[in-house]
């Protein structure tokens, strides 16, 4: 192993050690499942904001987005970034405060638990359906995070994919099962800082190697439609129209935020609802800057390929990895900086995987075991069950990710649509339409999930539209129609709704 590789490994190992230590420290603060799954509603505004966005962005920010720009130009990446930025802001503006107040008033600690208590569902059907949907969409989603970690370590150090993936999974499970939600949120906050540092270092170094900013822009302008927002390239230099349907489909990614359990949990966990405005501003600004820099890095990486042979990439998503590798050749200090950058990629993946792992585990141990089947177990036994469930979900995630050729982006896209359509409309109607009832909620979740699956596997024509948008519309229609055709909510539910509205 070369000196640069040793330095990179030192930086990554140091980072992994820090997150495990955080898990150990927070393990002493988990006295109940409320603490384990929601941190006792003690998150400060900055940790809330940054952990929410770090758990959202995943490896897509540091690998997928720059890689897309490197290969095809700015059109698709820019529209996706616009949709996600708008979705982030509106989600914080519309949902955060009311969800925090409502979930606190009814003492709900998970998203399925919120739905069940919001509609006083004594049949347990609603909580069971929500929990099953979380398991269906989150286990593959968690697996995509493990897979990314395995591929990263494998490409860097020549380690076998499966060994690298298992090591990564063990570290994530260690701090998540020990420290629960507080550990996951705190490490996500740390990870967002590392991601930010990585983006800045890569951009500055990349522009320097490319020959300055003018060289970067001149190269982009020389490629047909590279800087266009209504056309893109196919990776081989051929121009492809980026029409209205494609733009609408791409913008629709922003709708997913309304239904993401691992983001909604941050809203439920913030300590002071009055400080949500601070969180919203921090989150929105960070997302805009981070995605903007990621787009620029794709452009810079392509410009670097004109002067640096190692930047001519077979896999465009490795653009930041390639820049880090080049940086590491400039000496020990730069090799350590390269290690920080690669730790940033690892951080972006782990910050999403830990939150997904926790949400999936809560669906089984809290929502199904306690909420649906009403298992009577002690507080200590609940904590043991919670930790064992985290481990079990991780094992299933490793099994799902065992194939190194699996498509990470495809899995993420499918799961994002699944959550957005299953939970997003119901969350909005639960908070803002008093007439919504549990039967409308059940119909909305099922119809949204089924539409995502059916649309995803259909081909051609209108079905080329991203499945989240049509499924979101179908779910909303089912909620309204079924709620109006069935019995109105009881007086106790509507009075509770009005009380929260006044908070």
């Amino acid at each position: 192993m070369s000196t640069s590789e040793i330095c990179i490994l030192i930086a990554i190992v140091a980072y992994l050690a820090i997150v495990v230590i955080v898990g150990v420290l927070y393990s002493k603060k988990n006295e109940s499942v409320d603490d384990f799954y929601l941190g006792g509603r003690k998150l400060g505004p900055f940790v809330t904001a940054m952990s929410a966005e770090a758990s959202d962005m995943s490896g897509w920010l540091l690998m997928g987005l720059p890689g897309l720009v490197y290969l095809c130009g700015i059109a698709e990446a820019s529209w996706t970034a616009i949709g996600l930025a708008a979705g982030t802001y509106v989600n914080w503006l519309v949902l955060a405060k009311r969800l925090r107040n409502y979930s606190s008033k009814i003492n709900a600690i998970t998203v399925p638990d919120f739905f069940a208590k919001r509609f006083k569902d004594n049949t347990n059907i609603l909580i069971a359906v929500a929990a099953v949907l979380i398991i269906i969409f989150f286990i593959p989603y968690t697996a995509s995070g493990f897979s990314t970690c395995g591929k990263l370590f494998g490409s860097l150090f020549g380690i076998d994919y499966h060994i690298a993936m298992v090591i990564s999974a063990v570290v994530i499970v260690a701090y998540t099962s020990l420290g629960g939600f507080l550990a996951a949120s705190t490490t996500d906050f740390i990870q967002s800082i590392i991601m930010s540092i990585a983006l800045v270092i890569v951009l500055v170094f990349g522009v320097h190697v490319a020959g300055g900013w003018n060289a970067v822009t001149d190269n982009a302008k020389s490629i047909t439609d590279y800087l266009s927002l209504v056309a893109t390239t196919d990776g081989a230099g051929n121009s492809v129209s980026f029409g209205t349907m494609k733009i609408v489909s791409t913008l629709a990614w922003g709708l997913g935020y309304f239904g993401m359990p691992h983001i909604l949990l941050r809203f439920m966990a913030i300590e002071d609802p009055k400080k949500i405005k601070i969180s919203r501003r921090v989150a929105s600004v960070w997302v805009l800057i981070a995605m903007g820099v990621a787009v620029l890095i794709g452009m810079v990486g392509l410009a670097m390929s004109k002067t640096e042979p190692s930047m001519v990439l077979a896999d465009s998503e490795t653009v930041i990895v390639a820049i880090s590798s080049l940086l590491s050749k400039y000496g020990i200090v730069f090799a350590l900086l390269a290690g920080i950058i690669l730790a940033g990629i690892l951080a972006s993946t782990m910050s999403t995987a830990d939150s997904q792992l926790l949400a999936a585990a809560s669906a089984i141990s809290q929502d199904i075991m306690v909420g649906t089947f009403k298992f009577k177990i002690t507080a200590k036994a609940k904590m043991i069950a919670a930790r064992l469930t985290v481990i079990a979900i991780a094992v299933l995630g490793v099994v799902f990710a065992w194939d190194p050729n699996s498509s990470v982006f495809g899995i993420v896209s499918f799961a994002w649509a699944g959550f957005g359509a299953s939970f997003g409309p119901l969350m909005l109607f639960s908070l803002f339409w008093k007439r919504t009832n549990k039967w409308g909620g059940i119909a909305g979740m099922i119809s949204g999930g089924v539409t995502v699956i059916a649309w995803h596997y259909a081909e051609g024509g209108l079905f080329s539209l991203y499945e989240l948008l049509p499924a979101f519309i179908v779910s909303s229609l089912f909620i309204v129609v079924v709620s109006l055709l069935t019995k109105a909510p009881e007086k106790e539910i509507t009075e509770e709704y009005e009380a929260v509205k006044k908070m």
Side-chain angles (χ1 to χ4, degrees):
M1 185 177 288
S2 66
T3 302
S4 61
E5 288 178 331
I6 292 173
C7 291
I8 290 172
L9 188 60
I10 289 172
I12 292 177
V13 169
Y15 159 72
L16 294 176
I18 289 171
V19 295
V20 172
I21 290 170
V22 169
V24 172
L25 292 175
Y26 276 106
S27 66
K28 301 174 183 178
K29 298 187 178 183
N30 289 317
E31 298 176 357
S32 67
V33 288
D34 186 18
D35 292 334
F36 189 80
Y37 285 129
L38 207 58
R41 302 184 201 274
K42 298 173 184 175
L43 288 193
F46 289 97
V47 174
T48 302
M50 298 302 284
S51 68
E53 301 318 315
S55 66
D56 158 36
M57 285 298 162
S58 73
W60 175 84
L61 177 68
L62 297 185
M63 296 183 76
L65 193 60
L68 185 63
V69 175
Y70 180 99
L71 187 66
C72 301
I74 69 167
E76 184 170 359
S78 297
W79 287 115
T80 301
I82 291 169
L84 292 174
T88 297
Y89 181 79
V90 174
N91 200 30
W92 279 96
L93 180 67
V94 174
L95 289 188
K97 188 173 184 179
R98 186 167 290 196
L99 177 58
R100 167 60 176 82
N101 290 334
Y102 217 139
S103 63
S104 177
K105 184 174 180 60
I106 60 179
N107 194 31
I109 62 173
T110 68
V111 172
D113 189 36
F114 170 76
F115 289 144
K117 290 178 178 178
R118 158 69 173 85
F119 297 109
K120 312 297 182 197
D121 179 25
N122 297 322
T123 66
N124 298 327
I125 296 175
L126 200 154
I127 196 171
V129 170
V132 168
L133 286 168
I134 283 179
I135 293 168
I136 289 173
F137 291 114
F138 252 148
I139 291 179
Y141 207 165
T142 304
S144 71
F146 293 163
S147 177
T148 301
C149 290
K151 290 178 180 178
L152 176 61
F153 276 121
S155 63
L156 283 175
F157 306 112
I159 301 173
D160 178 76
Y161 165 81
H162 300 104
I163 295 174
M165 179 182 63
V166 170
I167 291 173
S168 303
V170 167
V171 173
I172 295 170
V173 169
Y175 73 77
T176 304
S177 62
L178 285 171
F181 184 82
L182 281 174
S185 297
T186 303
T187 53
D188 288 352
F189 176 67
I190 295 170
Q191 287 154 352
S192 68
I193 295 172
I194 296 174
M195 290 161 65
S196 302
I197 294 171
L199 286 167
V200 172
I201 294 173
V202 168
L203 182 62
V204 172
F205 175 73
V207 170
H208 171 72
V209 173
W213 181 244
N214 288 336
V216 173
T217 55
D218 289 344
N219 179 69
K221 291 175 182 177
S222 69
I223 303 172
T224 304
D225 292 328
Y226 189 86
L227 295 177
S228 173
L229 290 176
V230 293
T232 185
T233 64
D234 60 2
N238 301 311
S239 180
V240 179
S241 174
F242 202 81
T244 302
M245 182 177 288
K246 188 67 175 175
I247 291 173
V248 171
S249 182
T250 307
L251 287 172
W253 274 77
L255 291 173
Y257 283 107
F258 299 123
M260 291 299 125
H262 53 299
I263 297 174
L264 298 174
L265 284 175
R266 265 68 181 183
F267 298 164
M268 294 165 66
I270 192 169
E271 184 173 23
D272 186 356
K274 295 178 181 178
K275 294 182 179 178
I276 285 177
K277 183 182 289 187
I278 298 173
S279 298
R280 181 177 73 240
R281 290 172 177 171
V282 171
S284 301
V285 170
W286 187 83
V287 164
L288 277 172
I289 294 174
M291 288 195 295
V293 172
V295 169
L296 292 178
I297 287 172
M299 291 176 55
V300 169
L302 185 62
M304 290 172 69
S305 69
K306 305 300 180 182
T307 59
E308 180 57 50
S310 65
M311 289 302 302
V312 179
L313 307 174
D315 182 357
S316 63
E317 290 193 345
T318 63
V319 58
I320 289 184
V321 177
I323 294 175
S324 302
S325 179
L326 185 62
L327 176 64
S328 69
K329 297 176 181 178
Y330 283 72
I332 293 177
V333 174
F334 292 99
L336 289 171
L337 288 175
I340 293 174
I341 295 168
L342 296 169
I345 297 177
L346 188 62
S348 65
T349 303
M350 291 174 67
S351 63
T352 304
D354 58 23
S355 298
Q356 294 163 347
L357 194 57
L358 207 56
S362 69
I364 295 177
S365 68
Q366 184 65 25
D367 299 322
I368 293 180
M369 290 175 59
V370 178
T372 303
F373 293 110
K374 303 297 181 183
F375 287 177
K376 302 296 183 182
I377 54 179
T378 65
K380 185 177 181 179
K382 286 181 180 180
M383 283 296 299
I384 294 172
R387 289 187 166 114
L388 289 176
T389 308
V390 168
I391 295 171
I393 294 293
V395 170
L396 289 174
V398 169
V399 172
F400 267 84
W402 201 252
D403 179 9
N405 297 316
S406 58
S407 172
V408 173
F409 180 80
I411 294 172
V412 171
S413 172
F414 177 66
W416 185 268
F419 285 122
S422 298
F423 295 150
L426 180 55
M427 183 57 71
L428 288 166
F429 280 104
S430 296
L431 297 175
F432 297 101
W433 190 40
K434 185 168 61 175
R435 183 60 177 79
T436 312
N437 63 20
K438 66 180 180 182
W439 302 114
I442 293 169
M445 284 193 296
I446 294 175
S447 62
V450 169
T451 302
V452 165
I453 295 171
W455 199 281
H456 181 77
Y457 289 103
E459 296 181 358
L462 188 62
F463 294 110
S464 61
L465 189 69
Y466 181 35
E467 56 263 28
L468 173 55
L469 181 58
F472 196 96
I473 295 171
V474 168
S475 177
S476 299
L477 290 174
F478 266 84
I479 291 170
V480 172
V481 173
V482 174
S483 291
L484 292 175
L485 292 177
T486 51
K487 184 180 178 181
E490 291 82 0
K491 184 179 180 181
E492 178 187 1
I493 297 176
T494 56
E495 287 179 347
E496 193 172 70
Y497 174 92
E498 290 296 339
V500 172
K501 186 177 179 181
K502 294 175 182 178
M503 292 174 67

